[in-house]
Structures are given as C-alpha cells and as structure tokens.
Amino acid sequence: MKITLKDGSAKEYANAMPVIDIAADISEGLARMACAAEVDGKVVDLRTIVDKDCELNILTFNDEAGKAAYRHTTSHVLAEAVKHLYPEAKLAIGPSIDTGFYYDFDCPPFDRAALDALEAEMKKIIKQGAELTRFTLPREDAIKFMQEREEPYKVELIQDLPEDAEISFYRQGDFVDLCAGPHLMSTKNIKAIKLISSSGAYWRGSEKNKMLTRIYGTAYTKNADLDAYLAHLEDIKKRDHNKLGREMELFTTVDVIGQGLPLLMPKGAKMVQTMQRWIEDLEDNEWGYVRTKTPLMAKSDLYKISGHWDHYTDGMFVLGDESKDKEVFALRPMTCPFQYYVYKASQKSYKDLPLRYGETSTLFRNEDSGEMHGLTRVRQFTISEGHLVVRPDQMVEEFKKCIALAQHCLRTLGVEEDVTYRLSRWDPENPEKYIGEPEVWNETEQHIRNVLNELQIPYIEGVGEAAFYGPKIDIQAKNVYGKEDTMITIQWDALLAEQFDMYYIDQNGDKVRPYIIHRTSMGCYERTLAWLIEKYAGQFPTWLCPEQVRVLPISEKYNAYAETVLKELKANGILATVDDRAEKIGYKIRETRLARIPYMLVVGQKEEEEGVVSVRSRFLGDEGQKPLSEFISAVCKEIRTKEIRKVEVSEESK
C-alpha cells in the first residue's frame, strides 16, 4: 500500500500497519510527539490500522486536532483521579476545549484544596504511565457494562446514540470511559497539567436537568508553555470586565433588581452616551439613515403577524395571560415590526427606496438565569438597530454598505482585527423552526456567500444559527476567557414583507414586495462596553473616556488657577475635573494613574505665572510644560479624530 505524506513524499508497505508504527518508521522523534493523525482528511486514533492507499498526516501538539487529543486524554486522567479520591462520583462528559479541557461530575463542588489534591493524584497516574487501549461493545452489552459500573450518565449517552453506532471505550489501568477518541498511546506522554477552577454546569446544558460539578483544566507539553498560559490567566483576571468594570465604577448589579439588569453608573453611562451620539450622528449624517422612536411593548397581535409569537415566545417577557386577559402585551425583543408600521404609514414609490430606518432601541429578552454574565449577557439592553427597506435590485449593494458601516465602527473602536465572520444558516433538517420555502433560504444564503467572497472576507458557516425569518452575517468576538459572543448582525430578509403586507409602487404602477435588511452598526452598547473594558484593560481611547483630563494643583494656593484651567477645558468640550483635595501631589498623581485617566495637568506657581500646564500622560509619561491652548488643541484633535494612541511607556517611568 502507498502512503502519501503531508510533504508530498510517499512510503510503501507490504502489510497493514497501525498509524503509530508508520510514524515511528518515518521518525522516532515524530512518533514520540504524535498525538493523533489524519487519514484522507479524517482525524483518527494512532491505533488505527492503515490497510490501503491513503494520504497520511501525523498530528502533534502543534496541530489543533493533535492538541485536542492530548488534552482529551488529560481529561480522562482527571476522571480517573476523581474516581480514585471520590468513588461515589458519577461521570458525565469530558471534552477538550480551546483552552484545555473540562469534565463534568455528579458530586459535591470542589474547593481549591480539593483541586490541588486531584492534581497531585493526576500526576501519580501520569507517572505510572498506563497505556490506553481501545475496545468496542455491542449496544446492549455497552449499556449493561456501564450499568454495572453504576454510571447512569454514560448509559443515557449510549442510549441516545444511533442504533448502528460503533460504541467504543478506552481503558487506562483500572479506569474505563465511554469515548470515541482519539487519545494518546499512554498517559506518560502528558507533561504539564493544571486544574484551573470548578463551577456548576447543567447536564447537557439544560436548566431542566441536574446541576453537575465541572472542573476546568489545561495541559501542555512543556512546563514553560504552561507557566506562560497561567501568567496569561492572571492578565485575564485583571481585564475581566465583570471585575474591572465594577472597580472602575462603570456599572454594578443588585440582587433585588434582578439578574441581567445592570445599572450603568455615571462613568459607564457617559461612555454609552458618547458611543450613542457618535453612532446616531454617523448613521444620520453620513450613511443616509432617518431616525424613529417606537414603543417598548406591543400587543401579542403584532408578534403573531411577525411570527415571533410562534417561534420566539420563550425568549420574550409576556405581560398577561391570553386565557383570561382581553389584551396581552409583551416587551419587545426587537424593533423590526414597529419600524415596518412606520414604513406602512404612507404609500411608497420605487423612487423612495432604499429607506434606512435607524433607532437606538432598548430591547428585552428572557435569557436563562444561568447565562447571565456582567454586561455581555443581559435581559435588558440597548442596540444601534436599523432596518433597511429596499428594492430587490438594491439589496446586494445595500447589504455591502451595511458591512462597510459595521467595519467602520469596528475600526474606529480599534477592534476590527479581533472579530470573525459567520454565515448563520437555517437548518434544513428542522424546517418547522422557520418560515418560508427552502428555495428562498438557499437563494438568500447564496447571495450572502457571494457578497462575502466578493469582499474577500473569511467566514465560517453555522447551520441552525439563522433567525426564523432569514440568514445573517454574525460578526463574532471572544471575551478574555475565550467565550464567543455575537457583536454585530446583518440579516437578509426576503420573507417578512409578505407577513406585514408591505409593498411599494414600481415604475409600472404595480405593487411589489420589498426586501428588508435587519442590521446593527455597532451592536449592543452594554456588550460593546464590556468588550472595550477587556480590550483596553480600562485604558480607553481618550475620546471614549468618561474623564479625559484631571487637573492637579500642587497645593490649595493654586486651586483658583486649577479652576481657571478646568473652565477652559470644559469650554472646549473636554471632560475634565479638578482634584483639589488637601493631599500631597504624589498621592494625587498615583490616584489619577490608577483611575486610568489619559491626561493629568499639574499646576503650581510657575504654571500659574506663565499660563502653562505640566502635562503627564499615559502615552508618553512626563511631557513637560505646555501652553494651555496648545494642550487643548492637541487633545481636541485627538478626540475629534477618535485617535487610538498606544501606551508607549511603562507605569514605572510615569
């Protein structure tokens, strides 16, 4: 048989061989590093027997699939350690993830001391170096096998597998787990591990199921790489918006108000106001939008027309009971049906289109309590929402413009390089979840592909991620912990105009259905604020800062001059304050630095006599004395152009 390797070279063997032996024949070093393999593009176990011509790629920890096999094996070691120290614990699932692995157990929670003990037990298991062996069982035997081991979650998983599925297990020493693989050949290949944390997790992700205990961990081939990752985690903790945003007094939450209902404090509110005014002026003055303002709730009748009542009621806050109330209302989860009636208020001609409606919309969605997190997953939020009503022949160009506007916003915020694009498609296997015919879905999805390809935007496709009435582009970003959220959405809708009897009069005098684009230009303000807190670790671009300049008089004698400087700053639209406390100047400087304010102006006798200010910035440190007018001119330009200056000096040199 002929084996074609990744570099194009080939090897020939007379007999069938396991992948690990082929790797050893290529190089003993490669065999030692091997974690898994690809045979004709399919990821397989190193134990897999190759018995015919194929293309073979040996995967190491440097390959994502190889890394996944390495870390998945480590999750099995964790499960064995738990069973050693907590024999009554029941096993659930333990996959690899981008940052390492986790395993869910039905058992009491683990504290840090318990995690440390488990980690020590894992190291003992690894040192013993048990080989992992794979075996399969018929379905009924597999169920009986796990029933005898008193593992109910594994039994449930087996029962949910297709009737013809191959049911495989991996054994390492006295531990056996249900698993499809692939895995390392032996536990001795695992070099550096760390258990990170423990938390609760619902079985199969449903709050209707039992809460299990999840342990997160990670694994590397070198201690140096593990140490670097742990240092990265410490940086993450400093950037976590849920912690840093509270420390900076940008937002807070209160139990008696409710989960997912954050309070924006004055500084956070100022930042959101700055972004909102920017977006509204940008859309209206430069991108041709007209503004609407619509109600926060509506009767159920509206949502029945749109289809939300049938497809989205679980995600809505419903006010009333249809079985006994004459009228039932719901807080709006989106603005589109309202803006459709703005459109329908007067007859439109083909010459009136495109019509671009923009609204700063406060929306309400009944998210699961387990999903709530800081500002990223909330039940009330505000977005830069818009709906474009267009002729079919205008759809592609307007869709491209929506992408361009979103990219302009991302670029201005300094996060354009941090996003990925997803074409969120319908699920043809579950058509009951959607309105419209398959032909419409296939056609609109292909239009979006064509646009993305033309604009040379890399993207992935997500089946089942579309809204019930149309496919969309979701612009995604990850938080500091690696969890991905949708930041901006642009949706192609060829269906709802029919639902709402929307039309325009064409050049022949006929009624024609328009198309609709649902889009956000920047997305949700709360989520964007969380994103920016983590992106900049609180050191926001000057134009976004709730406090841009702080004036620091050296002593009380210079408070009057400080107030004069403050008055001039405010007159030029700069957000500034004076620290006139009876504190030493060194203390005031440290406080200002900790508050992450871009500029501080130190004023004393010399500054007052010469009409200047001593400038300190987080960009260049001590910038020396400058005329006040010169400083104001430079900062106003920085704010006006929304410049993103890099911090070029260390904290110590400031």
Side-chain angles (χ1 to χ4, degrees):
M1 60 183 179
K2 182 180 178 182
I3 308 299
T4 304
L5 304 178
K6 184 179 179 181
D7 63 1
S9 63
K11 281 186 168 286
E12 294 193 6
Y13 300 96
N15 301 311
M17 297 175 67
V19 170
I20 188 64
D21 288 351
I22 298 175
D25 184 58
I26 297 169
S27 162
E28 287 293 338
L30 178 61
R32 284 195 299 271
M33 294 189 297
C35 299
E38 284 180 339
V39 175
D40 290 334
K42 180 183 178 182
V43 178
V44 300
D45 200 284
L46 293 170
R47 301 159 190 76
T48 300
I49 302 297
V50 179
D51 57 5
K52 61 181 180 180
D53 293 355
C54 68
E55 294 183 357
L56 176 66
N57 180 23
I58 305 298
L59 302 172
T60 70
F61 191 82
N62 293 326
D63 302 293
E64 287 304 313
K67 188 177 297 173
Y70 185 98
R71 288 172 167 172
H72 188 36
T73 304
T74 314
S75 80
H76 277 221
V77 173
L78 167 60
E80 182 179 356
V82 169
K83 294 296 283 188
H84 284 180
L85 300 185
Y86 304 89
E88 299 303 314
K90 304 303 178 188
L91 304 175
I93 58 172
S96 66
I97 54 177
D98 287 348
T99 57
F101 60 89
Y102 70 78
Y103 210 113
D104 291 345
F105 304 93
D106 188 350
C107 66
F110 298 99
D111 58 16
R112 186 66 248 178
L115 293 179
D116 291 341
L118 284 169
E119 194 175 300
E121 184 66 18
M122 290 175 69
K123 290 177 180 177
K124 290 181 185 178
I125 295 168
I126 291 168
K127 188 174 182 181
Q128 290 167 359
E131 290 188 5
L132 281 84
T133 57
R134 182 179 184 272
F135 65 94
T136 62
L137 290 174
R139 184 185 189 83
E140 293 306 314
D141 291 348
I143 292 172
K144 182 179 178 182
F145 182 70
M146 278 302 173
Q147 286 174 336
E148 289 172 349
R149 299 178 77 89
E150 297 182 354
E151 296 292 355
Y153 298 98
K154 300 296 183 180
V155 171
E156 183 179 328
L157 290 172
I158 295 170
Q159 290 171 334
D160 286 350
L161 290 172
E163 290 289 339
D164 59 348
E166 181 182 66
I167 301 171
S168 59
F169 298 82
Y170 280 82
R171 184 189 302 275
Q172 60 198 48
D174 61 354
F175 176 76
V176 179
D177 203 353
L178 170 73
C179 190
H183 281 288
L184 303 181
M185 298 298 292
S186 168
T187 61
K188 69 181 179 182
N189 299 108
I190 301 169
K191 303 301 181 184
I193 63 168
K194 185 66 180 177
L195 297 184
I196 306 298
S197 63
S198 177
S199 64
Y202 291 112
W203 169 235
R204 294 192 155 183
S206 172
E207 62 180 357
K208 297 177 182 178
N209 294 332
K210 186 172 183 179
M211 175 72 76
L212 305 179
T213 297
R214 175 172 294 178
I215 297 177
Y216 285 99
T218 195
Y220 287 85
T221 56
K222 299 176 183 176
N223 282 313
D225 292 339
L226 175 61
D227 291 341
Y229 175 71
L230 296 178
H232 170 65
L233 287 185
E234 289 303 311
D235 179 61
I236 281 175
K237 291 177 183 177
K238 296 175 185 176
R239 291 175 178 269
D240 182 351
H241 88 275
N242 211 14
K243 178 176 181 290
L244 183 55
R246 296 170 196 270
E247 291 174 354
M248 294 182 68
E249 297 184 348
L250 298 176
F251 78 97
T252 189
T253 53
V254 182
D255 286 344
V256 296
I257 292 176
Q259 277 189 305
L261 299 171
L263 304 176
L264 290 182
M265 300 174 75
K267 293 177 183 177
K270 173 55 71 173
M271 291 186 68
V272 169
Q273 181 191 58
T274 298
M275 289 190 284
Q276 180 179 327
R277 288 176 173 174
W278 162 55
I279 289 293
E280 289 179 350
D281 289 345
L282 178 71
E283 290 180 345
D284 299 355
N285 299 335
E286 299 181 34
W287 291 81
Y289 283 75
V290 291
R291 205 133 293 273
T292 65
K293 184 174 176 58
T294 56
L296 300 181
M297 67 176 75
K299 294 195 299 183
S300 59
D301 305 50
L302 178 72
Y303 304 113
K304 288 174 182 176
I305 296 171
S306 67
H308 289 96
W309 202 254
D310 291 331
H311 295 273
Y312 199 75
T313 317
D314 289 345
M316 297 166 65
F317 289 101
V318 177
L319 311 176
D321 184 341
E322 286 196 303
S323 66
K324 60 182 180 180
D325 295 324
K326 183 177 180 181
E327 289 185 327
V328 173
F329 289 79
L331 299 177
R332 66 180 184 185
M334 65 286 296
T335 310
C336 46
F338 298 85
Q339 290 190 327
Y340 297 163
Y341 282 97
V342 173
Y343 176 87
K344 284 166 60 71
S346 62
Q347 183 167 285
K348 304 297 189 296
S349 158
Y350 71 97
K351 295 181 179 179
D352 297 318
L353 304 186
L355 263 173
R356 308 180 187 96
Y357 294 114
E359 182 165 336
T360 302
S361 304
T362 298
L363 305 178
F364 306 86
R365 294 185 183 170
N366 191 10
E367 301 279 6
D368 291 338
S369 59
E371 294 293 318
M372 300 298 105
H373 179 69
L375 296 175
T376 59
R377 186 71 66 175
V378 293
R379 286 173 169 159
Q380 176 184 310
F381 56 94
T382 303
I383 66 172
S384 56
E385 194 166 19
H387 296 90
L388 289 76
V389 186
V390 305
R391 302 193 310 262
D393 63 287
Q394 298 169 326
M395 188 67 168
V396 170
E397 282 307 308
E398 289 299 318
F399 203 83
K400 289 179 187 175
K401 288 179 182 178
C402 289
I403 296 174
L405 173 57
Q407 291 177 330
H408 172 79
C409 293
L410 293 170
R411 193 161 46 248
T412 303
L413 293 171
V415 293
E416 186 180 25
E417 301 302 318
D418 302 334
V419 301
T420 57
Y421 292 75
R422 181 180 71 199
L423 167 52
S424 294
R425 300 171 49 200
W426 79 314
D427 180 2
E429 299 297 320
N430 294 283
E432 72 281 356
K433 294 168 55 178
Y434 308 91
I435 62 174
E437 297 302 317
E439 294 77 14
V440 176
W441 283 90
N442 294 334
E443 180 183 345
T444 54
E445 287 174 2
Q446 189 57 48
H447 278 307
I448 296 177
R449 284 191 197 93
N450 294 342
V451 167
L452 290 168
N453 292 333
E454 180 183 338
L455 298 176
Q456 299 183 333
I457 297 174
Y459 66 95
I460 62 170
E461 297 193 10
V463 176
E465 298 293 329
F468 68 86
Y469 50 87
K472 55 184 176 171
I473 294 173
D474 284 323
I475 301 179
Q476 308 284 110
K478 291 181 178 179
N479 66 16
V480 289
Y481 294 103
K483 184 179 182 301
E484 194 170 71
D485 286 306
T486 300
M487 308 308 297
I488 295 172
T489 292
I490 306 168
Q491 186 167 346
W492 188 301
D493 176 8
L495 297 169
L496 285 185
E498 179 77 27
Q499 304 277 102
F500 283 89
D501 191 28
M502 297 168 64
Y503 63 87
Y504 64 91
I505 305 299
D506 71 4
Q507 51 267 57
N508 299 319
D510 296 326
K511 291 183 177 180
V512 180
R513 299 289 183 207
Y515 282 177
I516 300 165
I517 301 173
H518 308 241
R519 47 100 277 178
T520 54
S521 51
M522 189 194 66
C524 166
Y525 287 96
E526 289 84 356
R527 186 173 288 180
T528 300
L529 178 56
W531 190 13
L532 295 174
I533 292 169
E534 295 184 350
K535 165 75 175 181
Y536 293 106
Q539 298 194 83
F540 308 109
T542 301
W543 74 275
L544 275 173
C545 286
E547 184 179 355
Q548 296 158 336
V549 179
R550 185 174 291 180
V551 186
L552 310 178
I554 291 175
S555 70
E556 294 180 4
K557 291 190 296 183
Y558 307 106
N559 284 353
Y561 180 59
E563 289 294 335
T564 300
V565 170
L566 177 67
K567 184 177 180 181
E568 195 65 24
L569 292 168
K570 286 187 171 182
N572 284 274
I574 298 171
L575 301 175
T577 62
V578 168
D579 185 349
D580 57 6
R581 294 175 297 169
E583 299 283 356
K584 292 183 178 180
I585 190 64
Y587 177 81
K588 291 181 180 181
I589 290 173
R590 285 192 298 275
E591 287 279 293
T592 304
R593 189 179 301 146
L594 289 172
R596 297 172 173 80
I597 296 166
Y599 296 97
M600 58 184 94
L601 303 181
V602 179
V603 295
Q605 181 179 351
K606 186 176 181 181
E607 286 79 12
E608 183 175 21
E609 289 174 351
E610 299 181 11
V612 297
V613 290
S614 291
V615 180
R616 287 174 175 262
S617 75
R618 67 178 184 214
F619 313 109
L620 299 175
D622 188 350
E623 298 187 24
Q625 292 184 340
K626 295 181 180 180
L628 179 58
S629 60
E630 178 184 321
F631 171 78
I632 288 175
S633 177
V635 173
C636 284
K637 180 182 178 183
E638 182 183 341
I639 294 170
R640 183 179 66 256
T641 60
K642 298 177 176 56
E643 180 183 358
I644 299 175
R645 297 184 66 185
K646 293 184 178 179
V647 176
E648 298 178 2
V649 295
S650 66
E651 288 293 327
E652 290 75 13
S653 65
K654 293 178 183 177

